[in-house]
Amino acid sequence: MTLVDVESDHIRLHYIFTNGSPMTALLFNRLFSHIDPAGVFHTSPATLYVDVDPRAVVLAKKLVPVPPDIDVEAPEIPLITAVRPGDRFEETFSIPLPLKPHLPYGSPDGALGDPAPLDAWFELGLLLVPPEGAKLAREVRTTEGVALYLAPVTPATQIVLRAGPLPVKLTARAPAL
């Protein structure tokens, strides 16, 4: 994870994933805001989960478990990028500051506290499969072209890579205590 740029109103980050495994890596990095009536997933590199607490913030592109107190029709599964053995994938994205909680099953209820500088980490979820395993994913249309979708899959099966803390604290609004 590389910090590219920090301004008063946004931060730009860059990461590179190199697959040194003999397996294909399926990165859960293509989060979407919604699926329109035509079945098109609305994606953007800047869409990511933001988990803020009073001590730290985690920026994530990964599978997130459904909280035990929430009933959902189906778990939210990000779209994937397949990275073959020896290949690499890189992505740069910009997100607005101050950061606010954004989670797949609803952000915390209640008011947010004042913006405060917090240590920040980035997490990327992935699944390793045999090279032919990427064929289990199906192609779907997104606002950025075609992507891959793999279901069913659970958060417990993913590997989560964690980078951080970032070299600067990020301004974020944590849920008020």
Side-chain angles (χ1 to χ4, degrees), residues 29-49:
N29 67 322
R30 303 285 306 272
L31 281 63
F32 53 92
S33 58
H34 67 283
I35 305 169
D36 70 24
V40 176
F41 290 74
H42 287 246
T43 60
S44 164
T47 303
L48 70 158
Y49 299 134

Side-chain angles (χ1 to χ4, degrees), residues 84-158:
R84 292 189 171 108
D87 286 351
R88 71 185 223 161
F89 173 81
E90 59 186 292
E91 182 174 49
T92 300
F93 55 90
S94 181
I95 52 176
L97 293 173
L99 297 168
K100 296 175 194 152
H102 173 72
L103 299 168
Y105 305 107
S107 295
D109 292 333
L112 296 176
D114 292 331
L118 298 172
D119 285 328
W121 282 262
F122 175 72
E123 292 183 344
L124 178 64
L126 64 101
L127 188 64
L128 292 175
V129 298
E132 65 278 1
K135 293 178 185 171
L136 297 173
R138 66 181 171 93
E139 289 187 350
V140 295
R141 292 181 303 145
T142 78
T143 50
E144 301 174 296
V146 175
L148 297 173
Y149 180 76
L150 180 69
V153 63
T154 64
T157 61
Q158 79 180 325

